[in-house]
Amino acid sequence: MERIQGYVDHIIYRNSENGYTVLALICGEEEITCVGNLHYIGEGEAIEAEGQYKEHSTYGRQFQITSYEIKAPEDVLSIERYLGSGAIRGIGVALAARIVKKFKADTFRIIEEEPERLVEVKGISERKAREIAEQVEEKRDMRKAMIFLQQYGISNSMSVKIYNAYGPELYQVIKENPYRMADDINGIGFRMADEIAGRVGIHTDSDFRIRSGILYTLQQASGEGHMYLPKELLLERAVMLLGVSPESVEKHIMDLAVERKLIIKETEECLCIYSTTAYYLELNTAKMLHDLNIFSEISETAVLEKVAGIERERETRLDGMQKKAVVEAAGHGLLVITGGPGTGKTTTINALIDYFESEGLELRLAAPTGRAAKRMTEATGFEAQTIHRLLEVSGGPDEESHGQFGRNAEHPLEADVIIIDEMSMVDIYLIHALLMAIPVGTRLIMVGDVNQLPSVGPGSVLKDIIDSGKFPIVRLTKIFRQATESDIIVNAHRINKGEHVTLDNKSRDFFFLKRQDANVIISIVITLVQQKMPKYVHASQNEIQVLTPMRKGLLGVERLNKILQEYLNPPSSDKKEKEYGGGRFREGDKVMQTKNNYQIAWEIRGKYGIAVEKGTGIFNGDMGIVREINTYAELMTIEFDEGRFVEYSFQQLDELELAYAVTIHKSQGSEYPAVVIPILPGPRLLMNRNLLYTAVTRAKSCVTLVGDENTFYQMIDNTFEQRRYTSLRERILDF
């Protein structure tokens, strides 16, 4: 490690989000380019820094700062330079010179201890003197806080969040109850707070710690899709996390329930323990569903006459259940339509659109993901949006915030009929936000395949609504003739029913290549994606999707992506790269957003790269291509579906991962021209019928499985799914 000392001449670049800074430091006669997380270093400040020199491929020699200390300017020239640098608003070069001429080496003491004396300098009023003193004080407090927090291993960007949340109170919070931060500040979870608490010397059996650990356990369960945990399971998980006795945890569960931080509901099976938020999300959702479910008297004959006219116009024939769907939609405020692939869900949606348009009603169509909305638009010829865009999302970048929506109870959606597709993907947060924005009297039609995997977020919304039996449900079961020509659809239904699937490769769109060795399987996958499939289904290489059940292992997403990247987008001198998190991103890479970011800006660019449309929000599962990596500005530009360009700072790259291969869970709601599914034995909990059915139904023109046929048949036979602890069904039945 080397040490250098000097003053900041100017800031070359600063990322305001994380504090990453490039600056010019004057050390004697030499100007040195320094880089690092230097959030609160301003121009004119004197610093002593520790770090090492590195040679940047583009920008040459730089000093990488690992730690630094702000030095008070010692000589008159340094003081004048600092004050005149713009570090303090309202003081320019000329005024700085007058202040220093008046007070000389005593300048800083005067500003801090006797700021009223600044009025002795020409051009400084009493008000301005106060403002200068406040700024100096604030900067000093902030620096002090940053240095204090650094000793607990807290990053600069997180320190800013903490300081902004608590101000001078932060010292008390850290020393008495750092677990408060897990509740108050997005990005600080229980584990970080626990680490800080350990360093401060807070005991493992602290009341604050146990309470925070219980809430954290429920939060983690929410990440697995649960709305509550049975008491015994909560106790088991919390005891394992905290390393304390079950009695201690149980006592605090009761205390938190008394304070209404938790809700306890008794069922025949168990005591169910909810976070208060989770409980009321289900309760309010159930209430709003009931409120929308208005029955109105209609003439079934008149509706069917209109349907007959629609059939003639579209030159199509609806079966009995599809006609029933239109009749039910006409007479009810709420309707669920469910069915597998090839059962005519799209035809039914088109009939509903035609019917309601003939009635002069205003319609809105939406789906949970951009890809699903795009598919809906193509299939209906009617513009569909993501549910987030329908609700006019805005809000914070943190997943925990679940976004803020412009459309809500105060500012509801203006539509007579709202049709939502791919309902199996909708979690409790999204359905609650949607229902908040739908006024009573608006028709809501929910369409989806209940046999698909449940949503990535918490809840089993579609399944619970159907299982309640309280609302009109239309089940489409007939597979239409054109669909029976597709082995993808025929085999998907066989898989769903647990029936035998013939693997003789006589099909035109469903293939099984039997192999046992993982590396051989990967080699075949590469050949299929790179050479065979694009020609076969008339699609680009990037449109062919590899789907795999798991993240880890020989055929897991993480290993597959590293290998596929080297073959499908090999390194070259004209492609810039960025190493990140044990891997690298390269221009031309296929990537996926891994969390909801409601605030990130996107733009659709016209012919000359000029923005023609702007918006915010990129969501979990959105896929794109890396178009540019700018190492100087530390930005990576991604083009997502619909031509939306987004700039990510290098510090935001944890939101992205390579997407040559994705988990089957992540593929929900998407449709690809062809999918390739590598398959070898794996955990029984994961390798089930539901997962296989979802994977197969993602393909439009061709499915190719590569691997072990016994595993394939075992998955069809395995109906065991990880149970989700949800209770929307029960809340619906309570009304």
Side-chain angles (χ1 to χ4, degrees):
M1 287 286 177
E2 295 184 63
R3 293 184 79 84
I4 59 172
Q5 193 167 339
Y7 73 91
V8 179
D9 186 64
H10 60 280
I11 305 289
I12 300 167
Y13 168 79
R14 172 168 282 153
N15 183 317
S16 57
E17 284 183 16
N18 55 41
Y20 181 84
T21 303
V22 182
L23 56 83
L25 192 73
I26 304 295
C27 303
E29 299 296 308
E30 188 184 6
E31 182 178 303
I32 300 171
T33 302
C34 298
V35 297
N37 289 324
L38 315 167
H39 212 294
Y40 282 97
I41 291 181
E43 292 182 352
E45 292 192 291
I47 65 165
E48 189 175 335
E50 193 172 82
Q52 59 191 63
Y53 285 100
K54 286 191 174 176
E55 198 68 33
H56 192 282
S57 57
T58 309
Y59 307 113
R61 187 166 176 256
Q62 296 179 335
F63 189 78
Q64 184 87 43
I65 296 177
T66 51
S67 65
Y68 66 90
E69 194 181 336
I70 306 278
K71 309 292 277 185
E74 290 167 358
D75 57 71
V76 170
L77 182 63
S78 299
I79 295 170
E80 186 178 327
R81 190 188 292 127
Y82 173 72
L83 288 178
S85 68
I88 296 170
R89 288 189 310 277
I91 300 183
V93 176
L95 186 55
R98 289 204 297 275
I99 295 170
V100 174
K101 189 178 177 184
K102 173 77 179 170
F103 300 116
K104 299 187 172 56
D106 218 17
T107 297
F108 268 106
R109 188 194 66 76
I110 297 286
I111 293 173
E112 287 172 9
E113 296 175 14
E114 301 175 71
E116 66 278 359
R117 284 191 59 193
L118 287 170
V119 298
E120 296 170 22
V121 178
K122 187 184 173 187
I124 299 182
S125 62
E126 281 186 30
R127 182 181 167 188
K128 192 160 188 172
R130 276 198 309 275
E131 284 175 0
I132 292 168
E134 280 167 11
Q135 282 187 70
V136 170
E137 182 72 21
E138 192 182 316
K139 275 181 169 283
R140 192 174 62 185
D141 285 352
M142 179 73 83
R143 280 206 203 101
K144 188 178 157 194
M146 300 280 282
I147 292 162
F148 173 76
L149 292 168
Q150 273 171 7
Q151 67 184 314
Y152 299 111
I154 299 169
S155 69
N156 278 347
S157 55
M158 199 55 76
S159 297
V160 176
K161 279 190 174 183
I162 296 169
Y163 184 83
N164 289 341
Y166 300 120
E169 196 194 343
L170 74 89
Y171 304 100
Q172 193 179 343
V173 171
I174 295 278
K175 286 176 175 167
E176 290 179 8
N177 178 18
Y179 298 99
R180 260 185 70 186
M181 296 190 297
D183 294 335
D184 297 343
I185 301 168
N186 281 331
I188 295 187
F190 170 80
R191 291 198 180 277
M192 186 184 281
D194 201 35
E195 201 176 307
I196 295 164
R199 291 183 184 180
V200 174
I202 291 171
H203 292 292
T204 55
D205 61 353
S206 148
D207 289 356
F208 294 133
R209 181 171 184 265
I210 296 171
R211 288 161 66 94
S212 184
I214 293 165
L215 295 171
Y216 174 75
T217 304
L218 283 172
Q219 187 190 329
Q220 291 298 100
S222 171
E224 297 166 24
H226 304 303
M227 296 303 299
Y228 69 88
L229 284 179
K231 183 184 170 188
E232 295 309 311
L233 185 56
L234 176 61
L235 277 173
E236 184 189 313
R237 288 189 177 191
V239 165
M240 193 179 289
L241 172 76
L242 297 163
V244 296
S245 70
E247 292 76 25
S248 307
V249 175
E250 191 160 7
K251 172 191 173 297
H252 284 288
I253 287 174
M254 294 307 160
D255 289 349
L256 286 163
V258 169
E259 294 169 29
R260 304 290 289 173
K261 296 273 180 68
L262 298 179
I263 304 282
I264 302 176
K265 294 290 280 187
E266 191 169 358
T267 67
E268 289 176 10
E269 285 185 28
C270 65
L271 273 178
C272 309
I273 301 182
Y274 303 77
S275 71
T276 305
T277 302
Y279 178 78
Y280 283 107
L281 275 168
E282 285 194 330
L283 186 67
N284 294 338
T285 297
K287 168 77 166 60
M288 290 187 287
L289 287 166
H290 274 289
D291 289 348
L292 286 178
N293 189 30
I294 298 169
F295 174 76
S296 54
E297 287 286 344
I298 55 150
S299 165
E300 189 171 327
T301 310
V303 175
L304 289 172
E305 278 177 15
K306 281 208 169 180
V307 169
I310 291 165
E311 285 179 307
R312 285 193 298 274
E313 202 170 304
R314 282 194 175 261
E315 296 179 355
T316 187
R317 291 291 302 268
L318 302 183
D319 80 334
M321 294 311 286
Q322 290 174 314
K323 289 175 183 175
K324 185 186 175 189
V326 181
V327 171
E328 293 285 338
H332 292 91
L334 190 74
L335 174 66
V336 177
I337 302 169
T338 185
T343 57
K345 292 194 296 293
T346 300
T347 305
T348 308
I349 292 172
N350 280 324
L352 288 165
I353 292 169
D354 289 347
Y355 173 79
F356 287 120
E357 281 198 316
S358 73
E359 292 286 294
L361 300 181
E362 189 178 340
L363 285 100
R364 302 291 292 274
L365 271 59
T369 65
R371 281 176 172 262
K374 189 178 176 185
R375 261 175 50 211
M376 202 179 183
T377 301
E378 288 165 357
T380 62
F382 197 101
E383 190 197 351
Q385 299 169 282
T386 63
I387 299 173
H388 288 95
R389 286 187 77 178
L390 178 74
L391 297 176
E392 297 171 14
V393 70
S394 61
D398 303 291
E399 187 133 18
E400 293 83 353
S401 69
H402 304 289
Q404 302 296 314
F405 296 102
R407 296 288 179 172
N408 48 40
E410 284 73 45
H411 188 43
L413 288 164
E414 292 160 12
D416 301 304
V417 183
I418 294 168
I419 303 175
I420 306 293
D421 199 10
E422 295 286 356
M423 265 301 298
S424 62
M425 296 180 67
V426 175
D427 64 19
I428 194 72
Y429 291 108
L430 199 50
I431 190 70
H432 186 271
L434 178 67
L435 292 170
M436 287 287 287
I438 299 177
V440 174
T442 301
R443 286 180 174 85
L444 175 62
I445 300 163
M446 297 176 278
V447 185
D449 183 353
V450 76
N451 294 310
Q452 295 281 356
L453 288 168
S455 57
V456 175
S460 294
V461 173
L462 182 63
K463 187 175 182 298
D464 280 358
I465 290 173
I466 291 171
D467 289 352
S468 75
K470 284 285 187 179
F471 307 111
I473 312 287
V474 175
R475 299 176 194 271
L476 304 177
T477 52
K478 181 184 172 183
I479 304 175
F480 286 85
R481 185 178 57 79
Q482 63 269 33
T484 61
E485 294 168 9
S486 162
D487 286 324
I488 297 173
I489 289 171
V490 170
N491 288 337
H493 284 277
R494 281 180 180 156
I495 291 166
N496 192 41
K497 291 173 186 170
E499 295 173 0
H500 188 82
V501 174
T502 306
L503 303 178
D504 58 8
N505 289 338
K506 289 179 180 175
S507 168
R508 287 178 306 183
D509 60 7
F510 193 98
F511 304 98
F512 198 111
L513 308 179
K514 297 170 189 177
R515 302 290 190 277
Q516 298 297 326
D517 181 85
N519 291 331
V520 172
I521 291 169
I522 292 171
S523 172
I524 291 170
V525 167
I526 291 165
T527 304
L528 286 166
V529 176
Q530 202 169 28
Q531 298 170 26
K532 304 282 187 186
M533 282 298 146
K535 293 176 196 166
Y536 192 69
V537 297
H538 308 292
S540 72
Q541 182 182 289
N542 279 332
E543 290 177 289
I544 314 301
Q545 190 59 54
V546 179
L547 301 180
T548 182
M550 55 208 121
R551 290 198 62 82
K552 307 283 184 188
L554 292 173
L555 295 178
V557 162
E558 291 174 8
R559 182 168 186 250
L560 278 172
N561 271 320
K562 281 186 179 176
I563 297 169
L564 290 168
Q565 182 190 38
E566 290 308 296
Y567 283 91
L568 303 180
N569 186 31
S572 109
S573 57
D574 61 347
K575 293 179 194 169
K576 293 198 188 79
E577 295 183 356
K578 167 64 184 168
E579 286 192 25
Y580 191 85
R584 67 187 60 203
F585 292 109
R586 184 174 295 137
E587 288 176 343
D589 273 339
K590 185 176 172 182
V591 294
M592 174 185 273
Q593 175 80 7
T594 61
K595 60 182 348 181
N596 290 336
N597 187 331
Y598 298 96
Q599 205 173 33
I600 196 164
W602 54 260
E603 60 182 37
I604 295 172
R605 297 173 181 174
K607 192 175 175 183
Y608 300 105
I610 298 163
V612 293
E613 188 182 342
K614 293 186 178 185
T616 57
I618 297 292
F619 304 105
N620 192 349
D622 286 356
M623 290 173 97
I625 305 293
V626 178
R627 294 302 183 201
E628 186 187 0
I629 295 175
N630 185 329
T631 48
Y632 181 72
E634 301 216 316
L635 292 172
M636 191 158 90
T637 305
I638 315 287
E639 183 182 359
F640 286 96
D641 289 341
E642 300 163 347
R644 292 171 300 156
F645 284 82
V646 179
E647 288 187 344
Y648 287 78
S649 73
F650 283 181
Q651 280 67 40
Q652 289 174 297
L653 299 186
D654 61 336
E655 296 184 15
L656 295 165
E657 63 182 35
L658 293 174
Y660 298 102
V662 302
T663 63
I664 294 164
H665 265 99
K666 286 281 192 185
S667 72
Q668 282 174 271
S670 297
E671 187 180 69
Y672 311 97
V675 300
V676 181
I677 308 166
I679 186 168
L680 280 178
R684 180 170 162 74
L685 197 65
L686 196 62
M687 308 295 280
N688 58 43
R689 184 188 296 175
N690 202 215
L691 194 85
L692 185 60
Y693 172 78
T694 302
V696 168
T697 54
R698 298 306 89 209
K700 191 175 180 180
S701 304
C702 186
V703 169
T704 309
L705 295 108
V706 190
D708 179 38
E709 65 178 314
N710 291 326
T711 303
F712 175 78
Y713 289 123
Q714 284 163 12
M715 287 180 79
I716 294 175
D717 294 337
N718 180 15
T719 57
F720 185 77
E721 294 166 44
Q722 187 175 10
R723 178 175 175 186
R724 282 201 171 191
Y725 295 108
T726 70
S727 52
L728 179 60
R729 174 185 172 273
E730 284 70 28
R731 299 291 81 80
I732 291 169
L733 293 171
D734 286 345
F735 282 95

